[in-house]
Amino acid sequence: MTKFTMYGKLIAQPGKREELAQMLLHAAEGLQSNPSCELYIVNVSEDDPDAIWVTELWKDADAHAASLKDEQTIALIQQARPLIAGVEPLRLKPIGGKGL
């Protein structure tokens, strides 16, 4: 299996979580036409008012890397950067389970 999974924890600047979440949801809409992105879910934490978790499943790691070179993605990252206080990426390699 060559699938690539990534969980990203983004910490928004205080009071900016909703604005950042909306940008990430916009990114998710843009990925609808990318067949290499199989899953992109934006989650908000119930325990941390500034935390957002993004769950991603890609065809492979190269597809994820290529997505970060897309002009729209680069522009969105630049626009979101001032809203982000911190990022904790977690890169994983799925090995099986329901849905794979």
Side-chain angles (χ1 to χ4, degrees):
M1 179 177 298
T2 62
K3 304 271 187 200
F4 174 77
T5 304
M6 183 161 181
Y7 295 107
K9 181 180 181 184
L10 291 91
I11 305 298
Q13 296 289 350
K16 297 294 185 178
R17 182 173 82 172
E18 182 61 30
E19 187 177 351
L20 181 57
Q22 290 302 312
M23 286 184 179
L24 294 168
L25 289 170
H26 179 68
E29 289 175 17
L31 289 168
Q32 293 292 335
S33 62
N34 184 336
S36 295
C37 180
E38 299 177 17
L39 185 71
Y40 188 96
I41 300 174
V42 179
N43 310 273
V44 293
S45 173
E46 291 186 356
D47 301 323
D48 183 340
D50 298 321
I52 300 171
W53 286 87
V54 178
T55 306
E56 300 179 55
L57 176 65
W58 292 84
K59 179 182 86 170
D60 55 35
D62 290 338
H64 176 260
S67 75
L68 297 175
K69 296 176 183 174
D70 176 76
E71 288 183 27
Q72 288 180 326
T73 301
I74 293 169
L76 186 62
I77 290 169
Q78 294 293 354
Q79 185 181 4
R81 199 164 282 190
L83 304 176
I84 301 171
V87 178
E88 299 174 26
L90 179 60
R91 296 171 181 266
L92 303 166
K93 179 180 176 182
I95 59 170
K98 182 179 178 180
L100 286 179

